[in-house]
Amino acid sequence: MKTKFFTTALLLFGLNTSMVQATEVEPDVPQTIEIVTTGIPEGEPRHIVFSPIECYYYSGVLYFMFSSDIGDVEVSVTSETSTWMKTIETSDGMGEICITSGGAGSYTVQIITEYGECFTGTFHL
């Protein structure tokens, strides 16, 4: 409940929703991470796919919001020195993963659904 309140408060009270492109970022300013589709299950027709995932980084935590239930997803976050992994149930509409020990650098977020769809995003700290 605390997480839902915090995430909602961030969204309602001034969360910056522009795409992250800068290499240096203010540490206490929430960042939006653009999540795009990078793979579809074999045999599926190719078409433009709306990403049902929004992702925000704030103070060592990645917050995910799911616009629809896409089943359980495996989330991995990779930096130059570390990797974090977590399974998130999208039926709740949100989830989070803590990455507090990664330090400065580039990060890649990869989200794979139980149906084989793959989504990715990158950000810099």
Side-chain angles (χ1 to χ4, degrees):
M1 183 65 169
K2 183 177 177 183
T3 301
K4 288 183 181 181
F5 174 77
F6 179 74
T7 304
T8 303
L10 284 174
L11 292 173
L12 292 175
F13 299 110
L15 180 65
N16 179 2
T17 58
S18 61
M19 187 173 85
V20 176
Q21 295 183 5
T23 56
E24 292 186 31
V25 178
E26 295 180 47
D28 293 331
V29 177
Q31 300 178 52
T32 299
I33 300 160
E34 183 179 26
I35 301 294
V36 297
T37 303
T38 56
I40 58 174
E42 196 162 316
E44 292 288 320
R46 297 201 176 272
H47 50 78
I48 296 174
V49 177
F50 167 75
S51 176
I53 306 167
E54 292 182 33
C55 182
Y56 304 93
Y57 172 85
Y58 182 72
S59 194
V61 179
L62 281 174
Y63 297 93
F64 299 92
M65 287 184 258
F66 304 95
S67 60
S68 60
D69 184 357
I70 56 173
D72 291 352
V73 295
E74 292 291 328
V75 177
S76 67
V77 181
T78 306
S79 72
E80 296 169 2
T81 59
S82 302
T83 299
W84 300 266
M85 299 181 84
K86 184 174 183 180
T87 300
I88 297 176
E89 296 178 22
T90 65
S91 60
D92 294 340
M94 59 181 56
E96 63 185 51
I97 186 169
C98 183
I99 59 166
T100 57
S101 62
S106 296
Y107 291 74
T108 300
V109 179
Q110 184 176 50
I111 303 162
I112 300 176
T113 70
E114 61 186 64
Y115 308 110
E117 293 174 292
C118 185
F119 301 89
T120 60
T122 59
F123 64 104
H124 307 279
L125 296 180

